[in-house]
Amino acid sequence: MTLLCTRFAAAFPLWILLGGLWAWLQPAAWTWFKDWIEPGLGLIMLGMGLTLTAADFAAVAKRPGAVAAGVAAQFSIMPVTGWLIAQAFDLEPGLALGLILVACCPGGTASNVICYLARANVAMSVLMTLCSTLAAILMTPVLTQWLAGKYLPVDAAALFRSMLLVVLLPLVVGILVN
């Protein structure tokens, strides 16, 4: 069973490509999932929490500069790259705005899963996700306005609630259960 799980996990990029292709060709086959995104992400974060201990976070806390550097890169490199791509390909305003908005948003649960599969520092990834999600409440609208020339309202309370329910709460429960 372990070998099967290892092989399945090793083929993760293939599953992502196949799932993306399927969703592209048959979007209606995936619309049912919209109601399960938050619970699904919460379940994934619970699983991440079950693999972590308080000592993992204590080790990361000894290197706050690494978390700060990751968050700073998230809100500098990504947004500027999105803007540069929009400029380089002379995207129509709607596409350019969408690309820049996505580039101004923080990393998410998927990055934590990729870190786990890569056997990287999951605690560091989770803390970067948490910090960048908190920073996004201010940074996403500011960067979007600056780079896209328009202000997009962000419901900070809903974003904060979502961060607590999807990232922090399941993670803490997983750590406590572990």
Side-chain angles (χ1 to χ4, degrees):
M1 183 66 166
T2 303
L3 180 60
L4 179 64
C5 290
T6 302
R7 286 186 177 166
F8 185 81
F12 187 72
L14 174 65
W15 307 132
I16 295 298
L17 285 172
L18 290 174
L21 182 61
W22 182 12
W24 180 272
L25 296 173
Q26 294 181 319
W30 290 89
T31 56
W32 63 271
F33 191 72
K34 71 181 183 315
D35 297 329
W36 294 93
I37 291 174
E38 283 194 2
L41 292 174
L43 185 63
I44 290 168
M45 288 309 297
L46 175 65
M48 292 294 114
L50 289 170
T51 70
L52 298 169
T53 65
D56 295 326
F57 289 102
V60 172
K62 293 178 184 173
R63 302 179 335 172
V67 173
V71 172
Q74 174 70 50
F75 291 110
S76 59
I77 296 169
M78 290 295 295
V80 170
T81 301
W83 180 82
L84 287 172
I85 290 170
Q87 295 298 308
F89 288 99
D90 195 26
L91 296 178
E92 64 178 74
L95 291 175
L97 182 61
L99 176 64
I100 292 168
L101 177 61
V102 169
C104 291
C105 290
T109 304
S111 67
N112 301 328
V113 173
I114 299 299
C115 282
Y116 175 76
L117 293 174
R119 293 180 175 80
N121 190 335
V122 177
M124 175 84 69
S125 177
V126 167
L127 282 176
M128 282 187 192
T129 297
L130 182 62
C131 292
S132 64
T133 299
L134 287 171
I137 294 168
L138 176 64
M139 295 303 293
T140 297
V142 167
L143 288 170
T144 302
Q145 181 180 25
W146 177 56
L147 294 171
K150 296 181 186 270
Y151 181 78
L152 294 177
V154 172
D155 186 346
L159 182 59
F160 185 71
R161 182 186 127 286
S162 179
M163 185 273 306
L164 290 176
L165 292 175
V166 174
V167 176
L168 188 61
L169 182 63
L171 184 68
V172 169
V173 169
I175 291 169
L176 292 174
V177 169
N178 189 23

